[in-house]
């Protein structure tokens, strides 16, 4: 029989060690003949990302020895930083930003020279004995410069395309004659407006007479790709949804009221892959829920595919097989090989081999709730779940409201052990896809235009109120947590509303003016659309910034910050902490050396979770079952 114990005090098998030790974050996937490649972020190896190869016999080898870290600095968020071919792989090493060649037989050898540039979105131009990549050059005195370059196998770097502020998705036609790519300019982010460009190579391997195929300042283009027969496809949101198109005369639109695109935070994000000349595997979101299907490119008919997966990342196809990193609602992520002709599914790698008790897993429940101006918003609700415990009769659980980062992003209903950490201890969690989130169409995404710090906050507040009014949570014990842009939502909710009794801001934003002045190139004009033009609307920036309204704060806050964060520097958190200390409000602050924007090292991931638990325990007045180091809260 379950033990009777108050919410928050339950013993749980989902420990911080379980989350970090032995668990990996599965990333980019590649194929070369019968060999499969993928990346693993290993928190127990100081948070480095390793390139792994598996052959047809199932034998695995790490291609990148310690301390090499497969990671790119381009746009700070990187992505797609290896490419396979010729029995090995080329990859970007995060420590020195150089491209290296690895064949698994010995030490990796450098291809590019040391310098102030980083590379991403690598593809192989085998016929010309070179790679093609996006380069970001930090050597100038002002803003970094971006371009598409060719990197010869001798290390020579040649610029192919330049002049735009940003580039992504260089994609070579099957015959090697043409290159497609997307580019965009300030103040746009790629999901606001971008252009699909196409150019042919001359005899010297340079691009000639580029033309614009699609896109513009108000149309977002995503993932250009070539079919095996040499036809160019891409995703555009001109219809109101990110849909697949085929370029040419006549152009073909595969119309559906569903999202087939993603916000391009990292290079290489993808939603489709070609099975053969006539079919493509497609992932698409209907009201935020991701599905899988096979699209007949001739008839336009879509055949839904039944599977247990609720998310699909880094998808590629080759030789009639498909590989992707799949998320499940009740088990850790998996690297999957799927052969549609036989409907055969093979799990090549699990992000964690831990067997979890199904009765102790909280599955996401989709909720749609009313919010401001007669609109509705969406969230995933996770009730407490632990097979060994139940709460005293009549007690309602404390609630943690989670706001995702971005803010242009989306919460997933795939299993997240960091959410289960809370639900298995007796907390309820609601993960809010506030207005501005992706997965619901362009109109929903644009709700945040000019309204960051308003719409996202109102939706998080209304999600909490909805659950409290339904009797599903304790309205007197509601906290809000979030990282990066989600941290700004936290601080804004605590400053301008009085619904929450505590908050946790992880590398969050307290001062929008400081963010505009200090952040990196990729996001340097992001707030033009989310808030207003800077400095013309400086007053609005100050009105929206929690740092200027600390007199309205009245509840405890914990701040978690990386010392090396270039996206949201530590001075953001430290200014807020100083203001709260001066006001006499309870406040805790943890600064993690060696961490950037997000925590990667196992010991820091563990400490951050345990500190947040200790913080809630002290604020809400319960004794956690875990033996953890209490966090120091000043002014408590």
């Amino acid at each position: 029989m379950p033990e009777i114990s108050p919410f928050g005090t339950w013993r749980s098998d989902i420990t911080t060690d379980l989350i970090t030790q032995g668990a990996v974050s599965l990333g980019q996937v590649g194929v070369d003949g019968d060999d499969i490649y993928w990346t693993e972020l290993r928190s127990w190896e100081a948070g480095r990302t390793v390139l792994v190869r598996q052959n047809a016999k199932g034998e695995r080898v790490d291609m990148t020895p310690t301390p090499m870290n497969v990671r790119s600095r381009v746009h700070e968020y990187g992505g797609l930083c290896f490419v396979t071919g010729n029995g090995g792989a080329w990859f970007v090493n995060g420590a020195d930003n150089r491209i290296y060649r690895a064949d698994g037989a010995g030490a990796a050898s450098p291809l590019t020279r040391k310098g102030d540039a980083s590379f991403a979105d690598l593809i192989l131009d085998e016929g010309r004995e070179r790679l093609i990549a996006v380069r970001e050059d930090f050597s100038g005195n002002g803003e970094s410069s971006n371009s598409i370059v060719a990197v010869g196998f001798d290390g020579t770097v040649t610029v192919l395309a330049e002049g735009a502020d940003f580039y992504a998705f260089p994609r070579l036609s099957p015959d090697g004659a043409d290159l497609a790519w997307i580019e965009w300019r300030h103040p746009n982010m790629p999901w606001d407006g971008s252009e699909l460009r196409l150019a042919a190579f001359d005899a010297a391997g340079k691009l000639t007479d580029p033309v614009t195929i699609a896109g513009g300042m108000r149309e977002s283009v995503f993932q250009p790709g070539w079919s095996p027969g040499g036809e160019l496809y891409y995703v555009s949101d001109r219809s109101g949804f990110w849909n697949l198109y085929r370029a040419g005369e006549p152009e073909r639109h595969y119309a559906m009221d569903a999202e087939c695109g993603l916000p391009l935070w990292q290079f290489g994000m993808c939603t489709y892959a070609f099975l053969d000349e006539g079919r493509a595997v497609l992932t698409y979101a209907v009201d935020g829920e991701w599905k899988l299907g096979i699209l007949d490119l001739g008839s336009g008919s879509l055949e839904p595919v039944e599977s247990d997966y609720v998310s699909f990342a880094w998808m590629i196809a080759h030789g009639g097989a498909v590989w992707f990193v799949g998320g499940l609602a009740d088990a850790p992520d998996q690297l999957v090989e799927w052969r549609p002709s036989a409907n055969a599914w093979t799990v090549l790698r699990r992000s964690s081999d831990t067997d979890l008790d199904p009765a102790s897993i909280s599955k996401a429940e989709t909720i749609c709730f009313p919010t401001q101006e007669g609109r509705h918003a969406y969230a995933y609700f996770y009730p407490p779940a632990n097979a060994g415990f139940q709460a005293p009769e009549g007690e309602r659980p404390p609630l943690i409201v989670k706001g995702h980062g971005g803010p242009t992003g989306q919460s997933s209903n795939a299993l997240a052990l960091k959410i289960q950490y809370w639900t298995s201890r007796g907390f309820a969690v609601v993960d809010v896809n506030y207005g501005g989130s992706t997965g619901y169409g362009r109109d929903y995404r644009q709700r945040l235009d000019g309204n960051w710090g308003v719409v996202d906050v109102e939706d998080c507040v209304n999600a909490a109120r909805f659950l409290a009014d339904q009797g599903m949570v304790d309205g007197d014990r509601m906290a809000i947590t979030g990282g990066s842009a989600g941290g700004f939502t936290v601080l804004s909710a605590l400053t301008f509303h009085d619904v929450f009794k505590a908050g946790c801001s992880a590398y969050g934003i307290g001062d929008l003016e400081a963010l505009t002045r200090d952040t990196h190139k990729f996001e340097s004009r992001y707030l033009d659309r989310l808030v207003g033009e800077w400095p013309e609307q400086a007053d609005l920036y100050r009105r929206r910034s929690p740092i200027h309204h600390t007199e309205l704060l009245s509840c405890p806050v914990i701040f978690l910050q990386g010392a090396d964060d270039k996206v949201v520097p530590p001075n953001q958190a430290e200014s807020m902490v100083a203001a709260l200390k001066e006001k006499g409000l309870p406040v805790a602050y943890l600064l993690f050396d060696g961490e950037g924007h997000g925590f990667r090292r196992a010991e820091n991931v563990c400490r951050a979770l345990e500190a947040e638990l200790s913080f809630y325990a002290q604020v809400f007045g319960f004794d956690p079952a875990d033996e953890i180091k209490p966090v120091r809260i000043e002014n408590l």
Side-chain angles (χ1 to χ4, degrees), residues 245-584:
Y245 290 79
R246 185 190 64 204
E249 296 292 342
E251 184 176 71
R252 179 70 183 273
H253 175 204
Y254 299 90
M256 56 195 306
D257 289 342
E259 291 279 65
C260 307
L262 295 164
L264 192 61
W265 283 106
Q266 286 190 303
F267 293 98
M269 300 174 78
C270 58
T271 56
Y272 70 93
F274 295 102
L275 272 177
D276 48 45
E277 176 57 26
R279 297 179 303 160
V281 180
L282 184 71
T283 65
Y284 56 99
V286 178
D287 290 335
E289 306 280 345
W290 284 92
K291 304 176 186 297
L292 181 67
I294 296 178
L295 178 66
D296 186 306
L297 298 170
S299 67
S301 62
L302 180 69
E303 178 187 354
V305 175
E306 293 295 326
S307 81
D308 294 329
Y309 298 99
V310 298
S311 66
F312 311 86
W314 304 108
M315 187 170 64
I316 62 171
H318 177 73
V322 181
W323 295 267
F324 62 88
V325 176
L328 297 155
D330 55 0
D333 290 353
Q334 300 173 348
L335 173 59
V336 183
E337 179 183 285
W338 171 44
R339 295 190 175 272
S341 60
N343 196 29
W345 306 76
T346 304
V347 177
L348 302 180
R349 179 76 162 102
R350 291 177 170 83
S351 63
S352 173
D353 290 326
T354 301
D355 290 326
L356 302 173
D357 183 351
S360 294
I361 294 176
S362 180
K363 283 191 175 183
E365 302 172 8
T366 301
I367 62 170
C368 179
F369 58 90
T371 189
Q372 304 303 111
E373 301 180 7
R375 298 183 299 208
H376 286 77
Y378 302 87
Y380 294 119
F381 176 65
Y382 298 84
N386 188 317
F389 291 89
Q390 66 182 44
E393 186 175 352
E395 184 183 359
R396 294 172 182 171
L399 174 69
I400 297 175
V401 176
K402 187 174 182 292
H404 62 71
T408 308
Q410 183 185 3
S411 297
S412 171
N413 56 344
L415 179 77
L417 289 180
K418 288 183 181 179
I419 288 178
Q420 303 298 317
Y421 176 87
W422 298 107
T423 55
S424 63
R425 284 165 173 77
F427 287 81
V429 175
V430 63
D431 201 354
V432 185
N433 274 317
Y434 48 75
S437 302
T438 52
Y440 303 89
R442 188 176 180 105
D443 288 345
Y444 194 85
R445 189 168 80 244
Q446 290 184 337
R447 283 188 190 179
L448 214 56
D449 286 1
N451 289 305
W452 190 31
V454 179
V455 166
D456 52 320
V457 173
E458 291 172 344
D459 288 355
C460 286
V461 165
N462 286 320
R465 285 175 171 159
F466 173 80
L467 293 169
D469 291 344
Q470 297 292 313
M472 301 167 74
V473 301
D474 184 348
D476 292 324
R477 292 188 295 169
M478 298 197 297
I480 183 169
T481 186
S484 188
F488 173 66
T489 302
V490 167
L491 297 174
S492 298
L494 298 178
T495 301
F496 302 114
H497 298 266
D498 59 1
V499 170
F500 301 106
K501 306 303 181 185
C504 174
S505 171
Y507 37 92
I509 301 150
D511 186 344
L512 294 175
E513 293 176 285
L515 178 67
T516 298
R517 291 190 299 265
D518 296 342
T519 197
H520 56 115
K521 178 184 177 181
F522 180 61
E523 295 184 82
S524 61
R525 301 291 299 278
Y526 191 16
L527 302 196
D528 283 25
R529 185 179 294 271
L530 292 177
V531 181
E533 292 188 5
W534 169 264
E536 292 82 356
Q537 293 180 272
D539 287 346
L540 178 58
Y541 277 66
R542 285 190 284 273
R543 288 199 303 272
R544 294 270 181 90
S545 298
I547 187 64
H548 298 301
H549 307 282
T550 54
E551 74 281 359
L552 301 177
L553 278 166
S554 59
C555 72
V557 188
I558 182 172
F559 295 83
L560 309 171
Q561 178 67 43
D564 299 335
D565 195 338
K566 299 296 189 298
V567 179
V568 182
N571 60 2
Q572 288 268 329
E574 288 162 1
S575 296
M576 289 294 297
V577 171
L580 293 174
K581 283 183 180 178
E582 184 177 351
K583 191 180 179 185

Side-chain angles (χ1 to χ4, degrees), residues 73-77 134-138 142-147 162-167 184-190 265 515-527 566-567:
R73 280 187 61 196
V74 181
H75 298 173
E76 291 298 327
Y77 300 102
V134 174
R135 181 182 68 176
E136 187 165 18
D137 189 342
F138 304 93
E143 193 173 63
S144 61
S145 63
N146 294 61
S147 57
E162 60 183 343
D165 291 312
F166 304 97
Y167 294 88
W184 64 99
R185 291 167 173 79
H186 286 316
N188 273 350
M189 300 297 282
W265 283 106
L515 178 67
T516 298
R517 291 190 299 265
D518 296 342
T519 197
H520 56 115
K521 178 184 177 181
F522 180 61
E523 295 184 82
S524 61
R525 301 291 299 278
Y526 191 16
L527 302 196
K566 299 296 189 298
V567 179

Side-chain angles (χ1 to χ4, degrees), residues 45 98 138 158 202 357 440 444 471 578 610 617:
E45 292 189 24
R98 302 170 74 182
F138 304 93
T158 305
D202 63 16
D357 183 351
Y440 303 89
Y444 194 85
E610 291 176 351

Side-chain angles (χ1 to χ4, degrees), residues 124-269:
L124 177 61
D125 184 2
E126 191 168 13
R128 299 179 180 91
E129 297 186 332
R130 64 186 187 178
L131 307 177
I132 296 175
V134 174
R135 181 182 68 176
E136 187 165 18
D137 189 342
F138 304 93
S139 62
N141 294 325
E143 193 173 63
S144 61
S145 63
N146 294 61
S147 57
I148 295 177
V149 298
V151 182
F153 289 171
D154 62 356
T156 303
V157 178
T158 305
V159 175
L160 297 177
E162 60 183 343
D165 291 312
F166 304 97
Y167 294 88
F169 288 117
R171 295 296 181 264
L172 192 64
S173 61
D175 61 5
D178 300 291
L179 188 75
W181 69 89
I182 70 166
E183 62 183 49
W184 64 99
R185 291 167 173 79
H186 286 316
N188 273 350
M189 300 297 282
W191 46 84
D192 297 322
S194 55
E195 294 181 60
L196 171 60
R197 304 275 279 168
L198 176 66
F201 286 107
D202 63 16
K206 295 183 178 181
L207 295 175
T208 61
D209 302 322
V211 296
T212 299
I213 299 298
M217 289 297 289
R218 298 293 179 182
E219 177 185 350
S220 172
V221 180
F222 174 81
Q223 196 193 345
W226 297 90
S227 72
E231 291 187 302
L232 179 60
Y233 287 76
Y234 63 94
V235 174
S236 166
D237 71 348
R238 73 178 70 134
S239 70
F241 290 91
W242 268 315
N243 284 176
L244 186 66
Y245 290 79
R246 185 190 64 204
E249 296 292 342
E251 184 176 71
R252 179 70 183 273
H253 175 204
Y254 299 90
M256 56 195 306
D257 289 342
E259 291 279 65
C260 307
L262 295 164
L264 192 61
W265 283 106
Q266 286 190 303
F267 293 98
M269 300 174 78

